[in-house]
Amino acid sequence: MKKITLGFFVFLFWAGYVQACDACKLQQPKITQDLTHGTGPESNWDWVIVSSIGIITLGTLFFSFKFLAIPGEKNRKHIKNTILDF
């Protein structure tokens, strides 16, 4: 119960911390107004860079889960079984 309560308070603190302040909301484009602090992207190349990083991150996450669950290894002593056999 203590872990749940602590997690809840950490979530509340973090949710309030990561939102942008009112001054930064005025400097951001509509898409990122509530997400980040600062001036926002200065050119279209910034959007290209952020989009490519997002695509690479999602691809990495997808393949991480895919190869964790189905690595193609048939050996019962494979390291994945220490994670999946709980």
Side-chain angles (χ1 to χ4, degrees):
M1 185 65 176
K2 288 182 182 180
K3 287 183 180 181
I4 294 172
T5 306
L6 178 64
F8 179 71
F9 285 118
V10 168
F11 174 75
L12 284 179
F13 172 74
W14 184 255
Y17 179 73
V18 297
Q19 292 180 345
C21 61
D22 292 333
C24 292
K25 285 181 185 179
L26 297 174
Q27 298 174 357
Q28 291 288 333
K30 191 171 187 173
I31 294 174
T32 59
Q33 275 185 348
D34 289 330
L35 300 176
T36 184
H37 291 280
T39 59
E42 296 177 2
S43 71
N44 288 337
W45 284 109
D46 292 343
W47 290 109
V48 171
I49 292 169
V50 169
S51 300
S52 359
I53 291 170
I55 290 169
I56 291 169
T57 303
L58 290 175
T60 303
L61 184 66
F62 169 76
F63 283 111
S64 297
F65 285 122
K66 178 183 176 192
F67 290 126
L68 178 66
I70 311 169
E73 180 68 40
K74 304 296 182 206
N75 187 359
R76 283 301 297 167
K77 293 185 178 184
H78 191 268
I79 195 161
K80 73 164 181 161
N81 292 322
T82 60
I83 297 170
L84 297 177
D85 290 341
F86 280 114

